[in-house]
Amino acid sequence: MVHYSGSRNSCLYVCVHTNRRFLTAPLFFLKFEDCQRSREVGFFSSDPNFGVRPDGTVYAEQEVANLSEPVQFMVTARGLHDPHIWETTVKLALSPTLSLRFWESQPRIIKFPRKHQRGSSSNGLRRQKRDWVIPPINVPENSRGPFPHMLVRIRSDQDKDVGIRYSITGAGADQPPSGIYNIDPISGNMFVTQPLDREERASFHLRAHAVDMNGNQVENPIDLYIYVIDMNDNRPEFQNQVYNGSVAEGSKPGSSVMQVTATDSDDSTTANGMVRYRILSQTPHSPIPNMFTINSETGDIVTVAAGLDREKVSQYTIIVQATDMEGNLNFGLSNTATALISITDINDNPPELTVRTFSGEVPENKVNVVVTNLTVVDRDQPHSPNWNAVYRIVSGDPSGHFTIRTNPITNEGMLTVVKPVDFEMNRAFMLTVVVSNQAHLASGIQSSLQSTAGVTISVQDVNEPPVFPVNPKMIRFEEGVPAGTTLTVFAAQDPDHFVHQSVRYSKLSDPANWLKINRTNGQITTMALLDRESMYVKNNVYEATFLAFDSGSPQASGTGTLQIYLIDVNDNAPVLIPREAQVCERARPNSKVNITASDADADPNVGPFVFELPSFPASVRRNWTISRLSGDYAQLRLRIPYLEAGVYEIPIIVSDSGNPPLTNRSVIRVKVCPCDDNGDCSATGAVAAAGLGTGAIIAILICIIILLSMVLLFVVWMKRREKERQAKPLLIDPEDDVRDNILKYDEEGGGEEDQDYDLSQLQQPESLEHIINKPSGVRRVDERPVIAESQYPVRPSLPHPGDIGDFINDGLRAADNDPTAPPYDSLLVFDYEGSGSTAGSVSSLNSTSSGDQDYDYLNDWGPRFKKLADLYGGGDDD
């Protein structure tokens, strides 16, 4: 600990700079500051083992590493040009980690004469300026204590006159991290309360305060700077535990491989944070144990020897050590990492074929057939450009029948046929093949003799199909040649010259069925007339396909196409165009028709055409005339000024330019009609021109009126028939009418007294609450639904007897469509009069035969009640 005292014009403090090299090495710095920056100071040590240089550096005169207890000595600072003297006591000790550790001790106060007086008052008292002594504070990290440990004493020179209270503020005191430093408010002694870690915080900035007992400020606050002295307490740490690098095989010494990096959290300006690298081991040791070296300061790994061969060693494992204290293994801390060095491939091994001669065989006329596989060996990196093989045929295949493709998986060369070979021309091939790599060989590497090999290929003979020498074959003939005409001989040749085989022919395709071929010699003859205008002829050419097959085993066949160019002859007469036209009934400039003709033949058997009117009937030439416009067109117009409206069929004779020419008599229908000012037929004229006179129009109107009358009569008849159907009686025999008959059932059963019936079920309940409150979906099938009922038809009070059947049917349909109706096995309520009816039970009615009742009125009800009237009215029995 240090305590300073002196005039305010000068300050002495200790600046620490530790060093592991103890002998004559600087341990720390003593610096004298004159507040006026004008004094020169000399330093002196009381211990001969330690010296102080003029710049304030304290150094050891001898080895002090074996200190077993702290060493204390005094350093004196003396001004060279004035008598002032300053002294401080320094205490040194070695920490357990062999790092130099020291605590500053309280300095002595040396009195000296005052040069400067601040003046005196009228009573002769001198006023002396109060001042702080501000020492810098250095605290080593990781101190073992004991704690709290006193660092410095803070005092004011007024503490003799008034009571002073001291305090400190700032980070580390009353601010986070708080509690590291405290001060005795009375004595001013400042303490550190716990070990410090420079890697967490390297310095602290506090402010010291002095107040009197009333809390009034006595001195201005001063700044205190506390520096944490670094100790070697952190090992170097590699950024990665495993580093990956690469170098090409065959690299020269000094080739860069990779760089490893380690960091130390200690002070990098001191030996504690200075890291050095070295290689601990190399695996494998081939070709020598030390193939690599590392730059101790930068961590760069380079090669130091030649002989890297990927085919022998593809990867090296290097253990690298990083040590602080500038690599001092006795005092530094170390750490290790692994460097994996991959040896990259270069093309230093040429591919070599496994044998000097390969052989194979191929059938003739086959393509994309693999003849043989060429095997190769390459020791370079598989599936890389240095390993991938490229094959070339250098001789023996001038026509390019073969090529060699590389198998990407096995690197084999697949010798393949790309152009058919002919056994009759070449029975064998002798090829020379050279193999190389995609990548060029490395510098200084020569090709191997085993990169060249010979390939012998045998061609197998197969039965080849017959071949037509000229295919397709074109011949020229005039159309219309008669059936049985020989056109040509379409023969095929068998390419198998070394085997005698016969060739036969057949027809494969003949769309118009005009031709036939001789089975043995291939002679083509006609079976019908050849027509150039046929739909099967395209661009004057007719095509037919024939088949030629040999007698080999297996049988082989070939096809040939015969093309017949048909020369046109004049066998089609021209046809007039158009076939219909219209003109005005009065001759006008635009009252004319342009006509032409079409001819299925070809030039020169078509136009120019000749158009003329026949001499019979004479009215044609009297009313019409034709004038020539061009070679293919003419104009038909009226010869007379007026022609009655109507439709006229005018014959015209058309001739073509063939040799001899063909003539055709065609008819054109011309509608003559009245025209408006624009020369267009009017509506009335169009009707008249269509051949409908006034009488025809009247007849059409009369027919329409008759048709409408018939439709009206039919509708009236249908309505009357519907009324009659509704008014007529039932279409059944009165004897079979169930309403007039008594149906007898064999079993009458007992009376109501014999049945244990619950008659309450036949009555409407007084309240529907028990039904309404039932859960949804739960209801007795014989209960009356609560929902609105369907409206059933109401029978009139005096219905017509014929309406009874309709009433019953309507009621039946309403019941069937009623969603509220119960099932068939439930009670159907046809009418309900409510409870409390005054009517008695029908069971109380008894039959009587007294004959007092008069039933004669039943005879007035018609034939339907005749049976009932006979039973009860005393009529005759049937």
Side-chain angles (χ1 to χ4, degrees), residues 242-249 251 255-260 279 281-284 286 289-294 299-304 308-310 312-320 337-345:
V242 177
Y243 289 84
N244 292 283
S246 62
V247 63
E249 62 176 330
S251 296
S255 300
S256 177
V257 179
M258 68 169 69
Q259 183 184 30
V260 296
I279 294 177
S281 64
Q282 168 194 306
T283 304
S286 175
N290 299 318
M291 289 294 295
F292 306 94
T293 186
I294 188 170
D300 291 323
I301 300 177
V302 297
T303 60
V304 294
L308 293 175
D309 191 350
R310 190 204 64 84
K312 295 181 180 179
V313 179
S314 60
Q315 188 181 70
Y316 289 89
T317 301
I318 305 297
I319 305 300
V320 180
T338 302
L340 301 179
I341 302 176
S342 299
I343 309 302
T344 59
D345 184 49

Side-chain angles (χ1 to χ4, degrees), residues 16-17 131 235 269 274 426 450 469 571 593 616 680 713 717 798 825:
V16 177
H17 177 75
D131 192 20
R235 294 179 179 274
T269 62
M274 295 182 180
N426 293 290
Q450 293 181 328
D571 57 348
V593 178
F616 182 83
D680 299 327
L713 291 174
W717 177 76
L798 295 176
D825 58 351

Side-chain angles (χ1 to χ4, degrees), residues 677-691:
D677 296 337
N678 297 325
D680 299 327
C681 283
S682 61
T684 305
V687 175

Side-chain angles (χ1 to χ4, degrees), residues 582-584 586-594 635-638 675-681:
Q582 67 180 19
V583 296
C584 296
R586 298 186 181 276
R588 294 187 180 185
N590 57 353
S591 183
K592 54 192 175 182
V593 178
N594 292 332
Q635 194 173 77
L636 175 67
R637 66 178 184 273
L638 286 173
C675 297
D676 55 18
D677 296 337
N678 297 325
D680 299 327
C681 283

Side-chain angles (χ1 to χ4, degrees), residues 677-751:
D677 296 337
N678 297 325
D680 299 327
C681 283
S682 61
T684 305
V687 175
L692 297 178
T694 304
I697 295 175
I698 295 175
I700 292 174
L701 293 176
I702 293 174
C703 292
I704 294 175
I705 293 172
I706 294 174
L707 180 62
L708 292 176
S709 300
M710 293 176 64
V711 172
L712 182 60
L713 291 174
F714 178 77
V715 171
V716 172
W717 177 76
M718 289 296 294
K719 287 186 173 293
R720 184 173 180 179
R721 183 174 179 274
E722 180 66 20
K723 290 181 180 181
E724 292 177 356
R725 187 187 66 80
Q726 294 178 356
K728 69 180 181 179
L730 294 175
L731 299 178
I732 58 176
D733 192 345
E735 296 295 329
D736 298 329
D737 191 352
V738 296
R739 293 172 297 177
D740 298 336
N741 291 277
I742 296 176
L743 299 178
K744 179 181 178 180
Y745 295 91
D746 294 338
E747 181 179 356
E748 296 183 358

Side-chain angles (χ1 to χ4, degrees), residues 171-483:
D174 61 341
Q175 299 177 14
S178 59
I180 297 179
Y181 302 99
N182 60 29
I183 190 171
D184 189 321
I186 299 176
S187 64
N189 294 334
M190 191 175 75
F191 300 89
V192 60
T193 63
Q194 62 188 38
L196 303 180
D197 188 353
R198 191 200 66 84
E199 286 69 42
E200 292 184 2
R201 190 168 187 131
S203 64
F204 296 87
H205 179 201
L206 304 178
R207 303 199 78 186
H209 306 270
V211 297
D212 59 15
M213 301 300 293
N214 296 324
N216 298 321
Q217 180 176 308
V218 177
E219 300 285 356
N220 292 329
I222 62 171
D223 293 325
L224 299 178
Y225 293 93
I226 301 175
Y227 301 101
V228 182
I229 307 304
D230 183 48
M231 299 296 173
N232 190 21
D233 57 345
N234 290 282
R235 294 179 179 274
E237 295 292 339
F238 282 95
Q239 295 180 355
N240 302 301
Q241 282 301 312
V242 177
Y243 289 84
N244 292 283
S246 62
V247 63
E249 62 176 330
S251 296
K252 297 180 180 179
S255 300
S256 177
V257 179
M258 68 169 69
Q259 183 184 30
V260 296
T261 304
T263 57
D264 197 315
S265 300
D266 292 324
D267 190 356
S268 60
T269 62
T270 66
N272 297 336
M274 295 182 180
V275 180
R276 299 295 182 265
Y277 305 92
R278 71 189 188 104
I279 294 177
L280 295 182
S281 64
Q282 168 194 306
T283 304
H285 292 173
S286 175
I288 60 174
N290 299 318
M291 289 294 295
F292 306 94
T293 186
I294 188 170
N295 187 303
S296 62
E297 295 185 0
T298 63
D300 291 323
I301 300 177
V302 297
T303 60
V304 294
L308 293 175
D309 191 350
R310 190 204 64 84
E311 287 71 38
K312 295 181 180 179
V313 179
S314 60
Q315 188 181 70
Y316 289 89
T317 301
I318 305 297
I319 305 300
V320 180
Q321 183 185 58
T323 307
D324 58 16
M325 297 301 294
E326 298 182 288
N328 191 316
L329 299 179
N330 295 325
F331 305 109
L333 302 177
S334 302
N335 212 338
T336 60
T338 302
L340 301 179
I341 302 176
S342 299
I343 309 302
T344 59
D345 184 49
I346 63 172
N347 195 10
D348 57 345
N349 294 281
E352 297 179 350
L353 294 166
T354 56
V355 295
R356 298 302 301 272
T357 302
F358 295 88
S359 61
E361 58 184 17
V362 58
E364 63 174 335
N365 301 323
K366 296 290 184 179
V367 295
N368 296 324
V369 176
V370 178
V371 179
T372 185
N373 289 325
L374 310 179
T375 54
V376 69
V377 175
D378 196 320
R379 293 182 298 168
D380 289 321
Q381 179 70 40
H383 306 291
S384 68
N386 299 329
W387 178 81
N388 294 336
V390 177
Y391 299 87
R392 292 181 298 113
I393 300 174
V394 295
S395 64
D397 184 23
S399 300
H401 291 282
F402 305 95
T403 188
I404 304 178
R405 302 185 178 99
T406 303
N407 189 318
I409 299 176
T410 63
N411 212 27
E412 294 180 350
M414 299 179 293
L415 182 61
T416 308
V417 181
V418 294
K419 185 178 179 180
V421 294
D422 190 354
F423 175 81
E424 285 71 26
M425 297 182 64
N426 293 290
R427 298 188 179 185
F429 292 87
M430 296 293 297
L431 309 181
T432 302
V433 177
V434 175
V435 63
S436 59
N437 293 123
Q438 287 182 353
H440 296 291
L441 290 174
S443 178
I445 305 299
Q446 300 295 328
S447 299
S448 173
L449 295 177
Q450 293 181 328
S451 298
T452 302
V455 181
T456 301
I457 302 175
S458 300
V459 180
Q460 297 176 337
D461 186 24
V462 296
N463 185 24
E464 299 176 76
V467 178
F468 290 90
V470 180
N471 192 12
K473 182 178 182 180
M474 173 73 75
I475 60 175
R476 299 173 64 90
F477 268 87
E478 287 187 352
E479 64 173 332
V481 295

Side-chain angles (χ1 to χ4, degrees), residues 133-155:
V133 176
I134 308 172
I137 304 171
N138 298 282
V139 181
E141 67 172 335
N142 303 325
S143 174
R144 294 186 178 182
F147 296 100
H149 184 81
M150 181 178 175
L151 298 179
V152 69
R153 179 183 177 189
I154 307 300
R155 60 178 295 274

Side-chain angles (χ1 to χ4, degrees), residues 472-474 507-515 536-538 540-546 560-566:
K473 182 178 182 180
M474 173 73 75
K507 186 170 61 173
L508 189 62
S509 173
D510 184 12
N513 198 26
W514 288 345
L515 308 175
Y536 302 106
V537 177
K538 306 299 182 183
N540 301 329
V541 175
Y542 178 76
E543 284 190 356
T545 306
F546 300 92
T561 300
L562 178 65
Q563 296 179 339
I564 306 174
Y565 185 89
L566 296 177

